[in-house]
């Protein structure tokens, strides 16, 4: 092969490679530079809690009340009740929209479609406090993830990544407490102080979607006058 032919061949291969590099999303020429030597080593994925998240699903626990934002309700407009499921080992909470007749379901939406604050019984608060060491007089906010698993819609919240808004006393000029207010500035975990987030490899392992076999259902207090249904459950016949 002559030198000229070699140049022509290389030029043709380069031209073909350029033609084949099409962005699969836009269908146009890929403008990204090809660099297979790039590595994610040393990079941390910045926590979403460091950014504004008004349009993300959120769950709050404060002053013995449990409530969600409007975003959560909009993700399940066809139901007014949920099952509250807790995984103590992974310290996560799932809200699972369900039928109205489902046993242990909780009303999370009013008749007008507004967010409902669910009053929690002391037993529930005690379990959460022992699991997290939280002072439930403060406001604890968790950003959720929407997951569909085997046809079920799930809103998953991580207790390990909660933002804590301390309750503070407002005093008058004489030092008397006038009222209590929740701070607008969250308190972050000590372990977050010197890092943006988890390394890429650990992030991929930690946030992989897990099976939900270890979740348990926790009941919360119904509002006075609210009807509580107990549908008949089919039980397996254990007769020999």
């Amino acid at each position: 092969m002559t030198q000229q032919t070699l140049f022509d061949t290389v030029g043709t291969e380069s031209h073909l490679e350029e033609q084949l590099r099409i962005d699969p999303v836009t269908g146009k020429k890929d403008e990204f530079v090809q660099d297979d030597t790039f590595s994610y080593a040393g990079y941390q994925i910045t926590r979403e809690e460091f950014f504004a998240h008004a349009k993300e699903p959120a769950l709050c626990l404060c002053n013995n009340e449990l409530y969600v934002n409007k975003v959560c309700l909009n993700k399940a407009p066809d139901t007014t009740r949920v099952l509250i499921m807790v995984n103590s080992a992974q310290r996560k909470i799932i809200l699972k929209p369900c039928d109205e007749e489902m046993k242990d379901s909780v009303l999370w939406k009013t008749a007008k479609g507004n967010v409902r604050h669910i009053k929690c019984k002391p037993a529930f608060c005690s379990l959460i406090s022992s699991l997290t060491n939280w002072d439930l007089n403060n406001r604890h906010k968790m950003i959720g993830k929407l997951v569909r698993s085997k046809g079920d819609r799930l809103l998953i919240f991580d207790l390990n990544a909660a933002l804590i808004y301390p309750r503070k006393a407002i005093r008058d000029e004489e030092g008397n407490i006038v009222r209590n207010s929740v701070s607008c500035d969250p308190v972050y975990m000590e372990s977050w102080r010197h890092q943006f987030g988890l390394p890429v490899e650990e992030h991929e392992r930690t946030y992989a979607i897990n099976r939900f076999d270890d979740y348990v259902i926790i009941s919360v207090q119904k509002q006075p006058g609210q009807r509580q249904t107990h549908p008949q459950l089919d039980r397996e016949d254990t007769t020999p």
Side-chain angles (χ1 to χ4, degrees):
M1 181 181 293
T2 66
Q3 185 175 12
Q4 182 61 43
T5 305
L6 177 62
F7 287 156
D8 291 341
T9 303
V10 172
T12 301
E13 291 178 351
S14 177
H15 178 68
L16 290 175
E17 181 182 354
E18 197 69 28
Q19 284 185 324
L20 293 175
R21 286 182 53 193
I22 302 297
D23 190 318
V25 177
T26 64
K28 299 179 180 180
K29 179 182 176 181
D30 190 354
E31 297 181 350
F32 289 83
V33 177
Q34 188 73 23
D35 183 5
D36 294 331
T37 64
F38 175 81
S39 172
Y40 288 107
Y43 284 88
Q44 296 176 345
I45 296 182
T46 306
R47 300 179 187 278
E48 61 185 343
E49 289 80 11
F50 288 161
F51 304 102
H53 36 249
K55 296 184 179 180
E56 299 290 337
L59 172 70
C60 291
L61 184 58
C62 178
N63 198 25
N64 300 334
E65 288 187 338
L66 191 70
Y67 56 97
V68 298
N69 62 358
K70 197 76 173 180
V71 177
C72 291
L73 302 186
N74 293 337
K75 299 303 180 182
D78 57 330
T79 181
T80 59
R81 305 184 74 87
V82 293
L83 292 174
I84 301 176
M85 312 175 76
V86 181
N87 186 313
S88 298
Q90 298 180 8
R91 303 218 309 177
K92 292 183 180 180
I93 291 180
I94 279 182
L95 299 184
K96 178 184 176 183
C98 64
D99 297 333
E100 290 193 6
E101 298 302 315
M102 178 65 71
K103 184 181 183 300
D104 293 321
S105 65
V106 177
L107 186 69
W108 74 330
K109 184 190 302 183
T110 67
K112 295 183 179 180
N114 297 321
V115 177
R116 178 178 179 271
H117 289 222
I118 305 169
K119 293 289 292 183
C120 303
K121 287 186 176 181
F124 176 82
C125 298
S126 176
L127 285 170
I128 292 294
S129 294
S130 62
L131 181 63
T132 60
N133 293 321
W134 287 351
D135 178 357
L136 296 186
N137 289 317
N138 299 324
R139 180 170 173 248
H140 302 80
K141 182 177 181 180
M142 292 148 279
I143 307 303
K145 294 299 179 186
L146 305 175
V147 173
R148 187 178 295 277
S149 177
K150 299 178 181 178
D152 292 333
R153 292 167 296 177
L154 307 172
L155 291 89
I156 303 181
F157 302 91
D158 190 350
L159 298 172
N160 300 296
L163 300 177
I164 302 176
Y165 296 81
R167 182 176 294 275
K168 58 183 180 181
I170 306 300
R171 301 178 182 272
D172 58 20
E173 296 179 353
E174 299 178 355
N176 300 316
I177 298 178
V178 178
R179 61 185 176 87
N180 289 318
S181 176
V182 175
S183 172
C184 296
D185 298 319
V187 174
Y188 297 101
M189 297 183 182
E190 182 65 26
S191 59
W192 295 9
R193 182 181 295 275
H194 301 296
Q195 60 174 222
F196 291 97
L198 295 177
V200 175
E201 299 83 0
E202 185 178 351
H203 183 278
E204 292 178 351
R205 291 194 303 268
T206 303
Y207 289 94
I209 298 176
N210 300 306
R211 294 180 300 112
F212 307 118
D213 297 345
D214 297 329
Y215 285 86
V216 297
I217 299 174
I218 296 292
S219 298
V220 297
Q221 182 180 11
K222 307 294 189 297
Q223 292 286 6
Q226 179 184 337
R227 180 175 62 90
Q228 183 172 4
T229 60
H230 296 279
Q232 184 66 35
L233 299 180
D234 294 329
R235 300 185 181 277
E236 182 180 357
D237 187 3
T238 58
T239 304

